[in-house]
Amino acid sequence: MDAEFNQTFITLGGLVDMDKYRYLFFVILLTLYILILCTNGTIICLICIHRNLHEPMYIFIAALSLNSLLFSTAIYPKLCIDVLSKKQTISHSACLFQYFLYYSFAASDFLLLSVMSYDRYVSICKPLQYPTIMGKRTVVVLLTLAWFLPACEVVVPTVISSQQKLCDFTTKGIFCNNTFFKLHCVKSVILSFYGLFVMMTAVVVPVMFILFTYIKIFITTYHRCAEVRKKAAETCLPHLMVLFIFLCLALFDVIVARLESDLSKMVRLIMTLQIVVYNPLFNPIIYGVKMKAIWKHIKRLFCRLVNKRI
């Protein structure tokens, strides 16, 4: 029976022993997930409802919030169930699907941040051409590519991995990420090289593009009046903050996958949880507070809710 079970299911061994605090961890994770849903959902709804926010910059912010919702939904429901379970298991096919969703949405974040940096570059450096360049069709094409390209890239290692034979059925992660590849009987050279290719195209190239556009923006605004520099800083600073946070979390993912055996179970758990907590939770907070147009609508919404209760 155990052999048959192991052929179908994989054990997620990344959670520490939490018998005494099982329900506390469940409440914390569920609260985080609800906060992520509420904060990102609020940003999306405000941008959809208010016409003055129907601009490319805010549409891209809404897309980033939607991506955070999808990313979190691929992780948190299963994680909440696992915390309450005595044995954390997942089927082979479900593990592959979670892997696909996790890296597809993570890569989409980098591309969406690249699109947002390009939007700011055109708006600040080429203001007269902005309406022509960033039309509705361009926005739709950029959003489609930001979600479609990562999915096409990640589906390749997912399919290759599905054909690999497993010699181990216990992963040290709390969900299915790159640590899943260590369960294969034979290390695939193709997967290793393709992983480097995906990292270059999905992370390094977008980050280099973002840095290039912001350098151009800072050079352009340096020669303009203080008002222009202030406006550029207000719109660009949140993007840079989000990029910095996400880069750190992406680095955590690489460290956990590469140095898994050299890290204690608690350290691996803490680093992995940071990957799925900070970005989805802090993105809407950063944009909600730092973007004046969004913050104005949030304050109005809050005041209405308070007045209704009174």
Side-chain angles (χ1 to χ4, degrees), residues 11-18 79 88 170-175 264-270 272-273:
T11 300
L12 301 170
L15 289 174
V16 296
D17 185 20
M18 57 178 69
L79 193 56
Q88 295 78 38
T170 302
T171 177
K172 294 182 180 179
I174 59 175
F175 55 84
S264 69
K265 196 172 185 178
M266 181 59 73
V267 172
R268 287 199 309 270
L269 177 63
I270 292 172
T272 306
L273 285 175

Side-chain angles (χ1 to χ4, degrees), residues 76-279:
Y76 276 90
K78 178 66 172 70
L79 193 56
C80 288
I81 294 171
D82 285 343
V83 167
L84 293 178
S85 304
K86 290 185 178 180
K87 190 171 184 179
Q88 295 78 38
T89 60
I90 187 171
S91 68
H92 185 204
S93 57
C95 189
L96 287 170
F97 185 58
Q98 189 179 55
Y99 166 89
F100 170 77
L101 294 178
Y102 173 73
Y103 285 106
S104 291
F105 293 133
S108 292
D109 262 353
F110 279 110
L111 288 185
L112 285 171
L113 289 171
S114 300
V115 168
M116 293 165 76
S117 69
Y118 176 69
D119 173 73
R120 291 299 82 209
Y121 166 75
V122 177
S123 175
I124 295 170
C125 299
K126 300 180 180 180
L128 298 179
Q129 302 175 40
Y130 182 79
T132 304
I133 296 174
M134 297 302 296
K136 289 183 179 179
R137 182 177 296 179
T138 303
V139 171
V140 171
V141 170
L142 291 174
L143 288 176
T144 303
L145 290 175
W147 275 306
F148 182 71
L149 290 179
C152 290
E153 286 188 331
V154 179
V155 77
V156 175
T158 305
V159 172
I160 294 175
S161 184
S162 67
Q163 307 301 317
Q164 297 289 313
K165 185 180 179 181
L166 302 182
C167 284
D168 191 2
F169 298 92
T170 302
T171 177
K172 294 182 180 179
I174 59 175
F175 55 84
C176 296
N177 55 5
N178 275 330
T179 57
F180 172 75
F181 293 153
K182 295 190 177 182
L183 304 182
H184 295 164
C185 295
V186 180
K187 185 177 179 181
S188 174
V189 178
I190 296 175
L191 281 176
S192 298
F193 279 105
Y194 188 80
L196 291 174
F197 167 75
V198 172
M199 181 174 287
M200 287 296 297
T201 56
V203 180
V204 177
V205 172
V207 169
M208 295 299 292
F209 177 78
I210 292 169
L211 294 177
F212 171 77
T213 54
Y214 280 116
I215 289 171
K216 293 286 289 183
I217 288 171
F218 292 142
I219 291 173
T220 301
T221 55
Y222 179 77
H223 298 289
R224 296 186 182 180
C225 64
E227 185 65 26
V228 174
R229 290 197 295 271
K230 182 181 177 182
K231 186 177 180 180
E234 288 175 355
T235 57
C236 294
L237 184 60
H239 304 328
L240 290 175
M241 291 171 65
V242 171
L243 175 64
F244 177 75
I245 292 172
F246 200 65
L247 270 175
C248 292
L249 300 181
L251 182 62
F252 282 180
D253 184 77
V254 173
I255 291 173
V256 170
R258 300 295 179 184
L259 303 178
E260 183 184 81
S261 58
D262 298 327
L263 300 173
S264 69
K265 196 172 185 178
M266 181 59 73
V267 172
R268 287 199 309 270
L269 177 63
I270 292 172
M271 292 179 72
T272 306
L273 285 175
Q274 288 183 81
I275 296 170
V276 296
V277 171
Y278 287 164
N279 213 55

